[in-house]
Amino acid sequence: MKLPLKWLKDFTDIDASPREYAHALTMSGSKVEGLEVLGSGIDGVVVGKILTVEKHPDADRLQVCQVDVGDGTIQIVTGATNIKVNDLVPVALDGSSLPGGIKIRKGKLRGVESAGMMCSIAELGLTKEDYPNAAEDGIFILEGDPSPGTDIKEYLGMNDTVVEFEITSNRPDCFSIIGLARESAATFGTSFRIPEVTVKELGEPIDGKVSVEIKDPDLCARYAARIVENVKIGPSPRWMQQRLRASGIRPINNIVDITNYVMLEYGQPMHAFDLRDLKGSRIIVRRAENGETMRTLDGQDRKLDESMLVIADAERPVAVAGVMGGENSEITDDTTTILFESANFDGISVRLTAKKLGMRTESSSRFEKGLDPENVINALNRAAQLVEELGAGTVCKGIIDCYPKKYQRRTIPFNPKFINGLLGTDISAEKMLEIFRRLEIEYDEATGTVIPPTFRPDLENEADLAEEVARFYDYNNIKPTLLEGRAATIGGRTRKQKIMDMISQTMLSCGLSETYTYSFTSPKVFDMLNLPADSPLRKAIVISNPLGEDYSIMRTTTIPDMLRVLSTNYNRRVEEARLFEMSYVYIPKSLPLTELPDEKPVLTIGMYGEDVDFYDLSGIIEELMEVLGIREYELEPAKDDPVFHPGRTARLIIKGENVGILGEIHPAVAENFEAAERNYIAFIEVEPLVRNAATERGYKLLPKFPAVTRDIAVLVDEGIPVRNIEKVIIDKGGRIFEEARLFDVYKGRQVPEGKKSVAYSITFRAYDRTLTDEEVSKAMEKITKALSDELGAQLRM
Amino acid sequence: MREQLNNIKLEAEKKLNEAGSLAELESIRLQYLGKKGELTAVLRGMGQLSPEERPRIGQLANEIRSFIEEMLEEKTKALQEKERSMRLEKEAIDVTMPGKRRFLGKKHPLSIVLDEIKEVFIGLGYEIAEGPEVELDYYNFEALNIPAGHPARDTQDTFFINGDILLRSQTSPVQIRVMEKKKPPIKIICPGRVYRSDAVDATHSPIFHQVEGLVVDRGVTMGDLTGTLQLFARRLFGEDTKIRLRPHHFQFTEPSAEVDVSCWTCGGKGCRICKDEGWIEILGAGMVHPNVLKYGGIDPKEYSGFAFGLGVERVAMCKFNIDDMRLLYENDMRFLRQF
Ligand SMILES: [Zn+2]
C-alpha cells in the first residue's frame, strides 16, 4: 500500500521527517517497506512559456525559441516540432539534472546559444501510460495554466514522498489512506479527523430507476448503489491524477478515477456501470451458473462457475463480484448515466474466485481480507460528493441499500490483569483505555467490556487487546525476563538424536564432508539408475503443484542426489570427493497417499578419486559399526543390484536384517549421471543402526597371560569370500580364540589357476593361565580340518 | 709383583684416557680384566706368594680392578653420550615439511549453525522435537489458526500432495504435535526442513530450514519471550548483540513480533550486510494464540506460552558471508572444505 504523505495530511497533522515517520509506524506495527521521494532525479526543471519560435539560421531541422521561465527569458534551441507560441513546457535550466543522472548545461547548437532544454515525458522519467495526452516523442506540452517559473515537480505533484507499507492480512482497514492516517495519529498522538462528506443530490429520486436483489447473501452482506445522471466523461483534475499516480494507479477518466480514488482513501473498492447496459435495469447478486462466460474489462473471456459470485442484470453477468467489471457494461466516452456500486463481498469467495481466474486486482486484494460492511455507505457518499465537486454529473436523490444481515459488533471483556500477565508488564488500566480510545475501540464501563470498531475484524479476544496495548507501549519497553520462578526443565537430545549425531561425527572423522541436497527430485532418476519397471523405489509421492518436473516427486532414494553431487564436483575438475549426507527418504504406505508416509532417516556416503576404492567405503562402515558397538553385522556380496557393480558391492546385514548397500556404482549408471568412471556410494538406513547400537561401554580386564599366535595359509577357490574362512576360524577356534588377522591374499605363481592363497595370523589366549602348545595345536587342527571339510581348503606350508 | 700391578694400573689408566671409541674400551677391558687379561694373569700367580704377602697383594689387585672398572664405566658413559649426540645431529629433519594429515571431513555450514542453536537451547533446558515434513493440512494450517480460504495461506506458497496432505511450509505444525502429546511445562525447539514454492535463485530456495521454539507453562509472559531471544541472540552472535521487536502479524501468535538483531558486522552503525539499517531481521515470534493452545489441547485460561521461528539459511549466509543460497545445496567440495 502506497501512501503519499500529502494525502495523509487531509486527516492528521504529523510533524516528522519521512524517515522518522517510517520508523515510528514500523515500530507501532505498520511495517514500512520503502520511501520513494517523487521526482528525486529531477532538479532545476521549471515551467516555461514559449514566447517566440523562429527558424535556426543554419539548420533546417532546428528552431530557436524565447522562453519565459519566470525570472527572465532564455533562449533555447530545439529539434522538436510539436511546439508553438504560448505553449507551456518543462524547461531544464542550465545546471539542472534529469532522472538517470543527466546534467543539463548551456551550450551552442550550430552556432546559436541555447541556455537550457525543453523536456519530453521520457526525459522527465515519466511514461505515456501516466500521461496519455502527452506527445510520444515531442516536448511535453503542459495542461492547465501554471505560471512560468513554477517548479515542475510541484506542477506534477511530485514534491511529495510516498511511503510504501506492507499490510498484513489481519488489517484490511490499513489498506486505505484513512486507516493508515488513524494508525499514524495513534502512533504520534495527534488528532485524527475525517472531513465531513455532504452530497447535494440535485438529481431526480433514485426510486424506480433500478432494482437491486441479493440472491446469495452468504457471499454478499451488503450492496448499495447510487445513480448519477448527465454524466460528462472527461479527464479528472490534476490533483486527483497526481494522487492516483503517486499511489501507483493510472488515471483513466473522471468516473473511473473517482472509484479508484475512493477505494484508496476509504479502502472500499467501488465499481461504476453504464446504466443503459444493465438489462431490465436490474442488479442481481448471485452465484454464476456453470459454463456462463463474460469478457472482463481487461479484454479476457472468463469462464465462470457456480463457486463464483457475479453481479448480473436481468440477462447476464456484468461483473465478477469484487474482482473486475465486465466489458459489456463499461463506462465509455458517451456514457450518460451510471450506477455506482459499493458493496461488501465475502473475502474467502473473492479470494478463491480471483485465484481461479488468475486475476488478483486492487479490488480483490482488499475484499479478500474481509472488509467493513459499515464502510459501504461512507464510500458511496464520498464518490457522490466527488462527482459533484468535479462537475462530472448530477447525483440522484437517495441510495439503494440492501443489507440483509446487519453486522454484529463484538464485545471483549476488558481485563487489565490478564493483559499485564500476558505481557509481563505493569501498565495502568487508564493507559490501556487511552490507547483504545485512539484506536476507536469503545469501552463500556457498565459491563467492563470493550467494543472494537467495525473496521477491526481482527480484534476477537483478550490476547488481541494485549497486542494493541503492547504495540503502542512499545514492545521494546517490556522488561526481558527468563521464566523466573518456573519449574526447571532438563533439556537434551533423545537417544535417536544422539546416535544420529554420533553417525555424523564418525563420518566427519573418517574424512567425509557433509552435504545437503533437495528432498524432491525428478521421476527420471529411476531410469537413470537403470531400475526395473517394477522397482518399489519408483513408488514415490508426487507433488501436485511442483516447481517443474525436476522437482516433482519426494525421493525414495538418495543415491541419485549423491551421484549428482559427485558428478558436479567431477565435472568441475575436483580431483577427489569424500562426502556424506544425513537425510530422509519418503516411503508412501500406499499410493495415492491417504496417510502420512514413512520418513526414513538415511545415511548416504559418496566418494570418488584416484585413491578411493571399495575398501575405503567398507572401512568407513566397519568404523561406524565399531563406534556404534554393533558386532553382529555382515557384508554380503550383492551381485544383483542394477545400480551397482555386480562384483564390487555388498549388502550390510545386521542380525539378519538388510539395512543398506555399499559399493561401486555400475558404469552404465555412472555414465547416465556423467560422473567419474568409478564412484563409491553407500546407502544405509539409520533406524536399524539406532535400534542395534550398543553405546554403553563396559571395561574388559586387560590380559594378564601371554597370547600364542599361529599363522596359517590355505589354498581355496578364488570365489570364496575371505569372510567365509574367517567365520570357520572363529567358529572352530573355541574359547581360547582371540583374533584372526588376514595378512595375505595371493594369486599367481605357485598358486594353481582358479585358486587363491589366503593367510591368517590367529591369536589364542586364555584369561586365567598361559596356554600350552597342545591346546593351541588342537584348536589349529580343528580349524584346518573344518576349512578343508567346509571350504575344500588345502593347507599350504 | 706389587710393582707389576702398579704398572698395570698406570698403563691401563693411560690407555683408557686415550680411548676414543666403545670398541677400544672393550678391547682394553679384555686386555686387563678378561679371562686371559693381564690383571687376571697376575692374580693367577698369587699362589707363589707368601701367606703374609697374599692378602696385601690381593687387596691391591682388587683395588686396581675396581679402579679400572669404574674408569671403564665412566669412559663408556661419556663415549655413549658423545656418540648419541653425533647420531642425533645426523638425524635432523626439515620440520617445515608438510605433516602427515588425516583429513577430517567438514560439517556443512547449515549444520554448524543448527548445532550452535541446539546447544544454546539445550543449555536453557529445551528438548529437541521432530515432526514430519510431509504433513497434514490440519497441522500446517488449520490447527495454527489458519482455516481454509484464509488469505494468510497465500503468503506461504505451499506444495500440495493432495487436498489434505502437503509439504509443511513451516516448522510450526510441530507445536501442535508436541502439545497433543505432552503436558506443560513444554520447552522445545524443532529444527527441520520446510518447503515453499519459490523458484531457485541467490536468495530463494524451495527447500530451506527453520528452527521453531515453543514454551508453554503457567504465567509465561512476553517478557520471557524477549529475555529468551535476547539471550539466544547474544550466544549466537556475540555478547554485545541487541535485539529489537517490531509488531507484526502471524495467525498463530498474539501479540506477534518480527525480531531484528543488531548487525554483528557494524555493531548497528550501518553497513553493506545490514543494508545501512544497523539491524538484521532474523526471527518471527509471539505469544501462542489462545486458539492454537486450544487446538493443542491446552487450556488458555490456565496456561500461556511463546513461540518463535528462524530461518537457518539466512543466519548461515549472514554469519559466513555467503552471498548465494545455491552454494549451500550445490555441495562443491571446494566450498564445503572451507568451514
Ligand atoms: Zn551492519
Side-chain angles (χ1 to χ4, degrees):
Chain A
M1 172 80 197
K2 287 181 168 179
L3 171 75
L5 284 178
K6 280 190 166 169
W7 201 342
L8 178 72
K9 289 195 163 52
D10 289 0
F11 305 98
T12 187
D13 300 307
I14 284 166
D15 186 25
S17 74
R19 264 193 90 96
E20 285 164 4
Y21 173 78
H23 176 75
L25 268 282
T26 295
M27 295 310 286
S28 71
S30 304
K31 189 178 184 183
V32 172
E33 298 215 295
L35 290 176
E36 188 199 349
V37 180
L38 293 181
S40 54
I42 303 177
D43 187 42
V45 181
V46 299
V47 174
K49 186 174 187 178
I50 300 176
L51 302 177
T52 61
V53 181
E54 281 163 17
K55 279 232 133 76
H56 189 288
D58 299 321
D60 288 350
R61 292 252 190 76
L62 297 179
Q63 307 192 83
V64 182
C65 310
Q66 300 301 321
V67 183
D68 174 5
V69 292
D71 57 354
T73 300
I74 61 170
Q75 175 171 288
I76 297 176
V77 180
T78 177
T81 54
N82 68 327
I83 47 163
K84 57 182 191 304
V85 171
N86 286 334
D87 274 352
L88 292 158
V89 295
V91 175
L93 301 171
D94 180 35
S96 64
S97 34
L98 292 174
I102 298 160
K103 293 265 179 226
I104 304 299
R105 298 257 174 259
K106 65 178 169 191
K108 279 183 181 172
L109 268 108
R110 292 284 192 104
V112 178
E113 291 268 356
S114 184
M117 184 180 95
M118 294 188 259
C119 308
S120 67
I121 52 167
E123 280 157 344
L124 290 170
L126 309 173
T127 64
K128 178 103 176 107
E129 268 144 21
D130 284 340
Y131 297 90
N133 297 334
E136 186 79 63
D137 41 28
I139 302 300
F140 183 14
I141 311 295
L142 306 177
E143 290 166 355
D145 54 350
S147 53
T150 308
D151 189 327
I152 195 72
K153 287 197 283 189
E154 200 184 316
Y155 169 81
L156 293 171
M158 280 179 154
N159 48 350
D160 197 1
T161 298
V162 178
V163 184
E164 174 135 31
F165 287 93
E166 177 197 335
I167 307 295
T168 51
S169 62
N170 61 324
R171 293 301 300 273
D173 61 309
C174 286
F175 235 123
S176 68
I177 307 291
I178 288 178
L180 287 171
R182 191 183 286 115
E183 281 290 318
S184 306
T187 302
F188 284 90
T190 55
S191 70
F192 167 74
R193 64 195 175 251
I194 302 176
E196 201 191 333
V197 174
T198 50
V199 190
K200 295 194 191 92
E201 297 188 323
L202 299 176
E204 296 170 25
I206 192 168
D207 313 302
K209 288 189 190 295
V210 71
S211 73
V212 173
E213 181 190 357
I214 302 176
K215 279 237 170 92
D216 291 297
D218 57 324
L219 300 185
C220 177
R222 190 173 197 177
Y223 194 103
R226 268 190 184 274
I227 286 177
V228 178
E229 292 174 327
N230 308 321
V231 169
K232 290 179 287 291
I233 299 293
S236 58
R238 227 152 30 87
W239 62 267
M240 183 177 273
Q241 293 192 10
Q242 285 166 359
R243 285 188 169 185
L244 290 175
R245 275 191 211 105
S247 305
I249 287 188
R250 222 166 70 202
I252 295 173
N253 61 44
N254 47 4
I255 296 300
V256 174
D257 289 358
I258 285 171
T259 61
N260 283 330
Y261 189 89
V262 172
M263 172 181 74
L264 293 173
E265 194 171 58
Y266 277 72
Q268 168 68 48
M270 296 190 62
H271 188 63
F273 295 100
D274 190 327
L275 192 61
R276 70 188 158 179
D277 294 326
L278 295 180
K279 301 276 177 354
S281 294
R282 291 181 68 185
I283 288 280
I284 304 164
V285 186
R286 60 163 170 88
R287 284 183 163 83
E289 283 159 30
N290 280 334
E292 236 173 344
T293 57
M294 192 191 80
R295 179 171 292 178
T296 43
L297 284 173
D298 54 4
Q300 302 277 315
D301 288 317
R302 307 287 179 175
K303 256 186 85 179
L304 309 172
D305 67 46
E306 61 186 3
S307 75
M308 302 169 180
L309 190 72
V310 295
I311 312 303
D313 60 17
E315 293 169 13
R316 64 212 171 135
V318 290
V320 182
V323 183
M324 197 180 273
E327 216 178 68
N328 54 18
S329 52
E330 189 182 1
I331 305 297
T332 54
D333 287 345
D334 60 349
T335 296
T336 56
T337 311
I338 59 161
L339 178 136
F340 270 133
E341 162 197 295
S342 178
N344 186 273
F345 302 115
D346 176 68
I348 294 176
S349 162
V350 170
R351 174 174 165 268
L352 295 178
T353 301
K355 214 173 167 187
K356 236 185 210 173
L357 296 175
M359 49 178 201
R360 203 155 176 268
T361 59
E362 288 279 345
S363 166
S364 77
S365 61
R366 283 178 171 77
F367 275 121
E368 68 180 30
K369 293 179 171 63
L371 294 181
D372 176 12
E374 296 290 320
N375 197 26
V376 160
I377 301 298
N378 300 338
L380 194 57
N381 285 339
R382 174 67 167 143
Q385 182 197 29
L386 286 168
V387 166
E388 289 175 350
E389 267 180 36
L390 267 52
T394 316
V395 178
C396 287
K397 240 186 236 10
I399 291 177
I400 294 179
D401 183 11
C402 289
Y403 194 5
K405 226 172 115 189
K406 195 149 164 45
Y407 182 78
Q408 291 299 317
R409 287 180 75 177
R410 210 178 263 122
T411 59
I412 307 169
F414 176 51
N415 185 348
K417 214 178 131 200
F418 171 87
I419 293 174
N420 278 320
L422 189 65
L423 300 178
T425 50
D426 191 19
I427 303 167
S428 70
E430 291 72 46
K431 171 94 183 141
M432 292 184 191
L433 288 172
E434 158 63 16
I435 291 168
F436 292 164
R437 199 186 51 71
R438 283 193 267 165
L439 295 169
E440 298 179 29
I441 300 170
E442 291 164 27
Y443 174 51
D444 181 12
E445 217 175 333
T447 54
T449 55
V450 297
I451 305 139
T454 55
F455 52 79
R456 290 296 303 272
D458 60 311
L459 300 181
E460 292 180 320
N461 56 46
E462 290 164 282
D464 296 319
L465 294 181
E467 180 173 79
E468 297 309 291
V469 170
R471 67 194 182 94
F472 289 101
Y473 177 74
D474 191 338
Y475 282 10
N476 300 292
N477 285 335
I478 297 172
K479 196 175 140 245
T481 49
L482 272 175
L483 295 164
E484 279 114 26
R486 240 57 54 75
T489 51
I490 298 165
R493 294 176 168 84
T494 61
R495 174 183 141 86
K496 183 180 167 190
Q497 288 161 353
K498 282 181 193 160
I499 289 173
M500 288 176 76
D501 283 355
M502 282 170 80
I503 295 172
S504 288
Q505 204 50 56
T506 307
M507 295 303 116
L508 295 170
S509 304
C510 288
L512 306 178
S513 290
E514 191 183 13
T515 64
Y516 274 67
T517 58
Y518 282 177
S519 22
F520 41 53
T521 187
S522 162
K524 288 191 191 122
V525 296
F526 302 125
D527 291 337
M528 291 169 77
L529 290 176
N530 291 346
L531 291 178
D534 61 351
S535 165
L537 291 178
R538 287 181 183 265
K539 295 206 171 63
I541 300 162
V542 180
I543 298 165
S544 69
N545 56 336
L547 279 181
E549 205 205 354
D550 286 351
Y551 306 108
S552 65
I553 59 162
M554 296 305 286
R555 62 182 172 191
T556 53
T557 165
T558 50
I559 292 175
D561 305 291
M562 184 53 86
L563 263 173
R564 253 195 218 121
V565 171
L566 294 180
S567 159
T568 302
N569 278 285
Y570 176 70
N571 287 301
R572 292 179 180 181
R573 310 267 183 283
V574 175
E575 278 175 23
E576 186 183 275
R578 295 167 187 261
L579 299 162
F580 81 100
E581 178 170 17
M582 291 289 280
S583 55
Y584 289 86
V585 292
Y586 307 81
I587 311 296
K589 290 173 185 142
S590 63
L591 279 178
L593 218 55
T594 51
E595 56 182 317
L596 295 186
D598 278 332
E599 297 185 12
K600 291 189 179 176
V602 293
L603 162 68
T604 318
I605 301 174
M607 300 191 283
Y608 72 81
E610 209 174 306
D611 295 335
V612 179
D613 65 19
F614 175 85
Y615 299 110
D616 284 294
L617 188 57
S618 61
I620 291 168
I621 299 300
E622 286 167 21
E623 201 67 57
L624 180 62
M625 295 299 116
E626 162 87 26
V627 169
L628 298 178
I630 300 175
R631 290 157 179 274
E632 285 179 62
Y633 75 92
E634 298 290 340
L635 293 181
E636 280 182 1
K639 300 184 197 314
D640 49 4
D641 193 305
V643 180
F644 287 93
H645 190 306
R648 294 183 170 191
T649 299
R651 286 205 171 77
L652 174 64
I653 311 284
I654 298 178
K655 291 184 185 162
E657 182 186 357
N658 181 3
V659 306
I661 193 161
L662 53 142
E664 185 176 318
I665 291 296
H666 197 287
V669 173
E671 238 174 72
N672 291 343
F673 283 87
E674 294 171 28
E677 198 183 325
R678 296 185 191 280
N679 305 273
Y680 297 89
I681 284 188
F683 176 86
I684 312 284
E685 286 190 35
V686 169
E687 268 158 6
L689 302 185
V690 174
R691 234 185 297 123
N692 289 296
T695 50
E696 304 290 329
R697 291 290 144 90
Y699 151 75
K700 236 167 68 184
L701 274 180
L702 296 180
K704 285 199 185 112
F705 294 91
V708 178
T709 300
R710 295 280 174 89
D711 290 352
I712 182 175
V714 290
L715 279 182
V716 289
D717 287 345
E718 220 173 5
I720 293 178
V722 293
R723 179 65 185 153
N724 293 9
I725 300 171
E726 236 168 76
K727 277 184 184 164
V728 171
I729 297 172
I730 294 165
D731 189 34
K732 301 298 172 192
R735 291 187 57 190
I736 57 171
F737 169 82
E738 187 175 81
E739 184 194 33
R741 192 174 54 80
L742 178 72
F743 69 89
D744 187 41
V745 178
Y746 177 74
K747 281 182 263 189
R749 269 177 21 141
Q750 294 171 358
V751 173
E753 189 66 24
K755 299 272 182 187
K756 62 183 172 187
S757 160
V758 181
Y760 274 94
S761 180
I762 309 174
T763 309
F764 299 93
R765 193 198 302 266
Y767 76 98
D768 55 351
R769 67 205 142 88
T770 303
L771 289 175
T772 64
D773 240 21
E774 274 158 73
E775 283 177 282
V776 175
S777 300
K778 243 169 95 185
M780 285 300 288
E781 268 164 42
K782 270 173 96 175
I783 289 169
T784 323
K785 185 167 182 302
L787 286 175
S788 151
D789 291 351
E790 292 173 27
L791 303 173
Q794 283 169 263
L795 200 59
R796 269 184 108 211
M797 281 309 163
Chain B
M1 201 165 220
R2 187 178 296 265
E3 195 176 332
Q4 205 181 345
L5 281 171
N6 281 331
N7 279 342
I8 288 174
K9 185 187 173 192
L10 286 174
E11 206 182 285
E13 190 177 5
K14 187 167 172 255
K15 280 195 175 167
L16 277 168
N17 277 331
E18 285 164 3
S21 73
L22 290 172
E24 273 176 69
L25 287 181
E26 179 61 10
S27 78
I28 294 168
R29 191 184 66 80
L30 288 173
Q31 188 185 348
Y32 296 101
L33 306 180
K35 278 182 187 158
K36 291 169 187 164
E38 288 177 24
L39 195 62
T40 322
V42 171
L43 288 171
R44 265 197 210 112
M46 286 233 310
Q48 298 155 18
L49 296 174
S50 68
E52 301 87 62
E53 278 251 284
R54 220 177 279 162
R56 267 178 261 147
I57 295 294
Q59 196 189 349
L60 180 63
N62 278 335
E63 275 170 22
I64 291 173
R65 169 181 279 273
S66 308
F67 171 78
I68 295 174
E69 278 175 347
E70 268 167 39
M71 215 175 144
L72 259 174
E73 198 180 326
E74 213 170 279
K75 197 69 189 170
T76 308
K77 250 192 200 157
L79 277 176
Q80 272 174 343
E81 227 148 86
K82 192 173 158 210
E83 275 183 17
R84 183 190 283 164
S85 64
M86 274 165 58
R87 179 168 57 89
L88 293 186
E89 206 165 303
K90 268 192 223 142
E91 282 174 358
I93 56 165
D94 179 356
V95 296
T96 65
M97 297 262 284
K100 292 178 193 164
R101 287 179 64 182
R102 274 162 196 76
F103 283 95
L104 294 179
K106 296 298 182 81
K107 236 192 236 182
H108 194 280
L110 291 176
S111 287
I112 295 173
V113 171
L114 273 167
D115 286 354
E116 279 184 40
I117 295 170
K118 286 183 204 168
E119 285 319 310
V120 174
F121 284 104
I122 286 174
L124 290 171
Y126 288 63
E127 287 172 37
I128 299 173
E130 284 158 31
E133 294 168 23
V134 182
E135 180 59 286
L136 296 172
D137 182 284
Y138 173 81
Y139 287 105
N140 195 69
F141 286 127
E142 208 173 316
L144 291 170
N145 205 26
I146 311 172
H150 195 281
R153 288 188 173 219
D154 278 355
T155 60
Q156 301 178 1
D157 293 321
T158 311
F159 289 115
F160 282 92
I161 308 299
N162 57 42
D164 304 320
I165 301 177
L166 43 72
L167 303 183
R168 68 175 177 196
S169 57
Q170 45 195 358
T171 42
S172 312
V174 182
Q175 288 186 23
I176 305 290
R177 289 185 172 273
V178 169
M179 286 191 274
E180 280 180 347
K181 283 204 204 83
K182 203 169 156 3
K183 290 302 133 205
I186 292 171
K187 271 166 98 175
I188 57 123
I189 57 163
C190 167
R193 274 185 182 211
V194 298
Y195 301 79
R196 286 186 201 176
S197 80
D198 283 324
V200 182
D201 65 25
T203 52
H204 291 91
S205 167
I207 295 180
F208 57 99
H209 295 75
Q210 281 186 339
V211 176
E212 189 83 7
L214 174 71
V215 171
V216 180
D217 201 351
R218 284 194 176 83
V220 175
T221 70
M222 195 153 170
D224 293 329
L225 169 64
T226 54
T228 301
L229 294 180
Q230 194 172 73
L231 191 73
F232 165 70
R234 285 186 185 154
R235 291 279 185 283
L236 199 64
F237 301 111
E239 286 304 314
D240 296 330
T241 308
K242 289 186 275 298
I243 64 166
R244 179 177 84 169
L245 280 79
R246 286 179 283 104
H248 195 69
H249 173 70
F250 301 111
Q251 277 295 119
F252 38 94
T253 50
E254 190 75 32
S256 304
E258 280 184 336
V259 184
D260 304 329
V261 300
S262 55
C263 176
W264 49 86
T265 305
C266 64
K269 286 196 263 326
C271 70
R272 192 180 58 84
I273 306 275
C274 59
K275 296 193 185 87
D276 281 334
E277 292 282 332
W279 296 96
I280 296 177
E281 182 188 325
I282 224 96
L283 285 142
M287 302 306 291
V288 183
H289 195 287
N291 291 354
V292 173
L293 288 173
K294 274 184 225 157
Y295 272 111
I298 289 174
D299 182 1
K301 291 208 173 66
E302 201 176 332
Y303 294 100
S304 59
F306 64 74
F308 56 86
L310 85 163
V312 181
E313 274 77 358
R314 191 173 159 73
V315 176
M317 289 173 76
C318 289
K319 242 182 123 85
F320 299 117
N321 233 327
I322 298 168
D323 54 4
D324 192 330
M325 201 184 275
R326 285 168 288 206
L327 286 166
L328 294 170
Y329 290 94
E330 226 172 47
N331 302 299
D332 189 312
M333 280 298 279
R334 296 163 297 180
F335 172 77
L336 297 174
R337 292 217 59 91
Q338 293 180 30
F339 298 94

